[in-house]
Amino acid sequence: MAHTRNTKNTKNTGYRRTGTSMRRTLRREAPSTIGLLADERDFAAMRRYRTFTFDDHTVYLQQVEGLLKTLAAQGMHTTVALFDPEEYAEFCAESGLAADAPASRSRFTAEIAATGATVAYTGQRIDDLIPLLVSRAVRQATWEYATTRLADLGECADCGQDIGRAAFDRASHLLMRTLETAGPGTHHLVCSTPTENEQLFAVLHTERGTTGPALLDSGEGAEFVTVLAVGIALESHAGLVLRTSSPGTPDRVHGWRLTRGSLVPLTAGEVFSAYCTDADTGDPVAPESGVEYCAGFDIGADEPEEHR
């Protein structure tokens, strides 16, 4: 009898171990997402919920970082998404969920992971991860706003052409011509486009060797072209700055203003003034050492077609 009981226990134990092992294997293959409250104001907004038990933002960030390290040590892929309390409250109201519940926060985190900006955790310090996550969220919001603006413009009353599509095609042409004319090197481009509601910015990093086209991230390229297209469609006072780095030479900065669908070169003095002025305060900023502020060059782009 004792032997029989031991056999049963052994079988049961083996079954439990096998089941546990299988679940652990599946757990490692199930990705995780953490919704992060990046700043103290958002953190404070969540403290009104009874089930949100943290009361110190610094401690909260330390605990998040600890959790990320633990998940990574277990071999799990983890992404971090920006948790916005206002959007969370709206999500709960629209979905009929109780906002003061961990399950609701989990569902919202899954939602923003599918549609919002995320950053994969690869061992970064939390202080390095937060600026990257915020920057990615700003980029996505800018792209969504710019895309909506282009889509809402409709068709040209004279020619019937879709204004947003035409502006996007024109912006793509201007970007390609700029990169082709800039030559080899590491290129950093910034486009600034004012609208009636806000100033839109887009940044693009590219590499180009002595042969072949420039290499660029398709997502960054689409965002950059979209912001430039808004300036073309709205005929706003958009501007473009190009900084080129090459081994053994000083960095070169060039600039253009957008005028009726064309990039018009700035003078060296205008480039210096634009690059060495604080965009928020208008105060002068000291020029960087080892940087040459140069006039914009002719990018050789065809003149845009007139649709008015």
Side-chain angles (χ1 to χ4, degrees), residues 134-173:
V134 172
S135 174
R136 191 158 297 179
V138 170
R139 279 178 48 197
Q140 178 162 326
T142 298
W143 179 78
E144 290 175 351
Y145 175 79
T147 301
T148 300
R149 287 304 308 269
L150 291 177
D152 289 343
L153 293 174
E155 298 180 348
C156 174
D158 295 331
C159 68
Q161 187 175 20
D162 185 284
I163 297 174
R165 169 51 60 182
F168 189 90
D169 291 343
R170 177 63 182 170
S172 299
H173 175 65

Side-chain angles (χ1 to χ4, degrees), residues 121-243:
Y121 177 69
T122 58
Q124 310 98 314
R125 294 172 59 250
I126 195 72
D127 290 342
D128 296 327
L129 189 148
I130 289 176
L132 181 60
L133 180 59
V134 172
S135 174
R136 191 158 297 179
V138 170
R139 279 178 48 197
Q140 178 162 326
T142 298
W143 179 78
E144 290 175 351
Y145 175 79
T147 301
T148 300
R149 287 304 308 269
L150 291 177
D152 289 343
L153 293 174
E155 298 180 348
C156 174
D158 295 331
C159 68
Q161 187 175 20
D162 185 284
I163 297 174
R165 169 51 60 182
F168 189 90
D169 291 343
R170 177 63 182 170
S172 299
H173 175 65
L174 293 179
L175 175 59
M176 290 301 101
R177 288 302 306 152
T178 300
L179 294 177
E180 289 171 7
T181 311
T186 300
H187 303 299
H188 176 86
L189 297 95
V190 178
C191 179
S192 172
T193 298
T195 69
E196 64 272 19
N197 296 321
E198 57 184 305
Q199 188 88 7
L200 304 180
F201 290 95
V203 177
L204 178 64
H205 303 272
T206 72
E207 298 277 351
R208 185 180 178 190
T210 54
T211 60
L215 302 176
L216 64 154
D217 179 86
S218 59
E220 275 194 2
E223 294 165 8
F224 191 91
V225 168
T226 303
V227 170
L228 181 58
V230 170
I232 294 172
L234 300 180
E235 294 189 346
S236 62
H237 298 292
L240 188 149
V241 172
L242 165 69
R243 179 169 180 159

